[in-house]
Amino acid sequence: MSTTSMMAVKYLSEHPRALDELRREHLDIRKGKSPEEAISYEDFKSMAFTRAVIFETLRLATVVNGLLRKTTQDVEMNGWRIYVYTREINYDPFMYPDPMTFNPWRWLEKNMESHPHFMLFGGGGRMCPGKEVGTAEIATFLHYFVTRYRWEEEGKNTILKFPRVEAPNGLHIRVQDY
Ligand code: HEM
């Protein structure tokens, strides 16, 4: 959750158009509320673009390196035993054209969330039961962050993608009132 929130902040600062659209979604939600009024579950459900930003962040910078599954039978091709590394599915150009580009709009075009290749939260009977609560927590963080603050990255931040996503020295940002 913390890594995904951090990476969303990172991607948003690198993609101002996405940040503008996300901020607009949250400022629209605030329009109907008094300054200290909390957001509701209904508000969360209305955050289509925010959901897209979170999934796109998870796709490019997932902390889930693989899913532990055992096949009922070994599969061999040309003498090779096949191991499916689920993280790589996130970069499959068939599923995600121009896969290395941060493009949250791709999630709005068709319902990829119900596609069998969508494995950001696993799949089947053992799929992550925290999917919605986790998404809601990140969306809530983004709501208050983008409606109250603007920020810029400070210095050169190192982000490692492999073997797992992390910022060894943290993501340093300078925050100001919006
Ligand atoms: C960005 C947030 C999260 C991501 C990307 C994530 C991802 C995953 C993945 C990939 C699995 C393995 C599923 C499988 O084997 O098919 C999993 C399992 C699980 N997750 Fe999450 N998760 C997140 C947040 C949460 C939260 C917030 C909770 C609890 C409040 C949670 C609770 C669990 C539990 C209990 C399992 C084990 C399910 C089982 O084996 O039946 N997760 N998660």
Side-chain angles (χ1 to χ4, degrees):
M1 308 278 297
S2 54
T3 303
T4 308
S5 304
M6 176 190 77
M7 289 307 292
V9 167
K10 169 95 180 137
Y11 286 132
L12 287 169
S13 40
E14 288 169 359
H15 298 86
R17 199 162 72 86
L19 175 58
D20 279 353
E21 185 153 342
L22 181 108
R23 189 173 265 137
R24 209 174 319 126
E25 183 165 86
H26 291 283
L27 290 174
D28 281 350
I29 290 171
R30 292 262 39 111
K31 269 185 202 153
K33 297 188 182 295
S34 56
E36 293 307 316
E37 197 175 333
I39 49 170
S40 66
Y41 182 60
E42 291 307 312
D43 294 324
F44 165 63
K45 282 202 295 187
S46 76
M47 296 174 186
F49 190 70
T50 304
R51 193 174 183 86
V53 164
I54 294 169
F55 287 173
E56 184 67 349
T57 301
L58 277 171
R59 184 184 72 77
L60 280 173
T62 184
V63 290
V64 180
N65 287 355
L67 295 174
L68 299 176
R69 292 290 190 279
K70 197 169 186 284
T71 51
T72 50
Q73 249 178 296
D74 283 348
V75 178
E76 271 196 29
M77 275 173 76
N78 297 333
W80 291 81
R81 193 168 292 174
I82 308 299
Y83 173 71
V84 179
Y85 199 43
T86 53
R87 184 170 62 179
E88 302 314 312
I89 294 169
N90 296 336
Y91 307 111
D92 181 349
F94 175 75
M95 268 291 282
Y96 307 104
D98 196 6
M100 302 319 282
T101 299
F102 178 80
N103 174 12
W105 292 274
R106 69 171 88 239
W107 294 92
L108 304 176
E109 281 163 15
K110 43 188 173 169
N111 189 7
M112 291 192 299
E113 213 181 312
S114 55
H115 197 284
H117 291 98
F118 175 87
M119 289 192 193
L120 298 176
F121 295 90
R126 305 307 294 259
M127 185 170 164
C128 175
K131 177 184 173 206
E132 288 307 311
V133 78
T135 307
E137 273 188 37
I138 299 166
T140 304
F141 158 71
L142 288 174
H143 175 80
Y144 290 105
F145 195 55
V146 303
T147 53
R148 293 182 178 181
Y149 307 105
R150 57 200 157 94
W151 72 94
E152 55 194 50
E153 275 195 58
E154 183 102 305
K156 182 115 187 74
N157 290 297
T158 305
I159 305 284
L160 299 179
K161 288 282 186 69
F162 299 99
R164 63 193 179 93
V165 177
E166 62 177 321
N169 304 313
L171 178 73
H172 295 258
I173 54 174
R174 182 187 294 272
V175 178
Q176 287 172 290
D177 286 340
Y178 178 64

